[in-house]
Amino acid sequence: MVKSHTIIFKLFTILAGWGGADAQPIPTTLDPCGRAVVDSATSGDRLILQDSGQIVLSAVKAPELWPDDSPYASWPYANEARAILEKLTAGKVVHFYCEGETTTMSGDRIAHVQLPNGNWLQHDLLMAGAVFVFPRAGHNTGLPSLYEAELSARSTKNGLWNGMDILASAQDYIPSGWFKIVAGSVQSAKKVGKRVFLNFGGNWREDFTVEIPSPTLRQFDKTGLNPLAMENRQIEVRGWVTWKGGPHILLETPGQIRLQERTIPDSGISQTGSNRIANTAHK
């Protein structure tokens, strides 16, 4: 009961800190793909519908929430993120908007969600600091607005940004097996065969590297951004860190990269550059 009361208190604190003043409507270029009444939320980015079925929220990721008897530990703010999503949606009729692949491998639907008040749910969650941006391949609509919402929450340390250890510098030790948002200057950009490698140090065998495989390179062709032109640019990249002669992120979509312009107060990460996001407009 104490834990439940603590989560409820944090929930109201987070929502009060956000306020919803900068809410946005869902992009009109997304395709309508249904409506349903929400039963509950099982995590900060997954909804259970009253007529059966689940919705995975497109373009965002919440801190991972695991059962108490799981061998895995839930991430910080996972329970708060789930509570925020449920507070915003439970018992309400919501509309779904889709693009690209519309189902996961397990058959769950992937969608953007419009709330009854017209707000774009993903944007609201980002402003509240309940989730962070993490687009899927082919899911690019609205990324500039979503990144701006995330940056707003980061600048005020709202929600999960108040202490969650997810930001890293490319020059620091970056452990594998974790989801990280890594900022740094690209020291070299090289094409090897059908892949591009963005290297953040002088020794690619040891330093942090971003690998861009050929399917992702084809997506870059639609963005107007050339990853080879990112040499000597300050960027931010997000994804699961693996070890491949050093810490390494395999890029599945250009939207995982953001060219930087802002400084996030007290984040410990300097951000300069353009603020263009590696994504393509939905057409």
Side-chain angles (χ1 to χ4, degrees):
M1 184 64 69
V2 173
K3 182 178 180 181
S4 177
H5 286 165
T6 300
I7 291 174
I8 291 172
F9 174 77
K10 287 183 177 180
L11 167 62
F12 282 110
T13 300
I14 291 169
L15 292 177
W18 162 54
D22 296 316
Q24 288 195 10
I26 205 159
T28 57
T29 50
L30 288 167
D31 297 323
C33 55
R35 54 175 279 178
V37 180
V38 175
D39 179 76
S40 59
T42 58
S43 69
D45 54 16
R46 186 180 289 267
L47 295 170
I48 301 292
L49 307 179
Q50 287 188 3
D51 61 353
S52 76
Q54 298 189 44
I55 291 292
V56 177
L57 300 185
S58 180
V60 297
K61 179 172 177 57
E64 296 200 358
L65 179 62
W66 295 93
D68 292 339
D69 59 354
S70 171
Y72 304 105
S74 294
W75 295 8
Y77 296 98
N79 282 296
E80 289 85 348
R82 188 207 64 79
I84 289 172
L85 179 58
E86 190 158 283
K87 175 72 174 178
L88 292 173
T89 60
K92 297 178 180 179
V93 177
V94 299
H95 290 78
F96 307 126
Y97 291 81
C98 298
E99 64 176 323
E101 293 185 354
T102 58
T103 59
T104 66
M105 294 182 65
S106 59
D108 297 327
R109 282 191 284 173
I110 308 167
H112 290 268
V113 175
Q114 184 184 57
L115 296 171
N117 62 4
N119 286 8
W120 183 9
L121 175 60
Q122 275 87 335
H123 192 275
D124 282 7
L125 292 172
L126 286 161
M127 291 295 296
V131 297
F132 45 87
V133 178
F134 190 48
R136 297 170 179 265
H139 290 222
N140 306 299
T141 297
L143 281 184
S145 294
L146 294 180
Y147 269 112
E148 283 298 316
E150 179 189 281
L151 288 170
S152 176
R154 285 167 65 171
S155 67
T156 57
K157 294 188 175 180
N158 207 13
L160 65 86
W161 303 107
N162 185 18
M164 186 172 176
D165 184 20
I166 193 172
L167 301 174
S169 166
Q171 303 306 312
D172 294 339
Y173 170 74
I174 306 173
S176 61
W178 294 87
F179 188 97
K180 290 289 182 180
I181 298 174
V182 183
S185 178
V186 178
Q187 300 300 305
S188 66
K190 305 292 184 185
K191 189 169 186 179
V192 180
K194 296 182 179 181
R195 296 170 178 258
V196 167
F197 294 88
L198 305 180
N199 302 304
F200 290 74
N203 186 347
W204 61 268
R205 295 181 178 86
E206 298 178 357
D207 298 312
F208 177 66
T209 301
V210 173
E211 179 180 350
I212 308 175
S214 57
T216 310
L217 285 176
R218 289 194 291 271
Q219 295 179 55
F220 266 102
D221 291 340
K222 302 176 183 179
T223 69
L225 289 174
N226 179 2
L228 292 174
M230 292 182 184
E231 192 166 293
N232 299 318
R233 300 294 300 273
Q234 187 82 9
I235 73 170
E236 184 181 81
V237 61
R238 58 192 62 203
W240 291 96
V241 179
T242 58
W243 193 264
K244 194 173 182 179
H248 165 275
I249 287 179
L250 180 67
L251 214 67
E252 297 181 0
T253 172
Q256 288 173 249
I257 285 181
R258 185 176 66 84
L259 303 181
Q260 295 179 308
E261 139 182 294
R262 290 186 175 186
T263 297
I264 304 300
D266 301 321
S267 70
I269 297 176
S270 174
Q271 298 186 308
T272 59
S274 76
N275 197 40
R276 287 188 66 192
I277 299 163
N279 80 98
T280 178
H282 183 72
K283 296 181 180 179

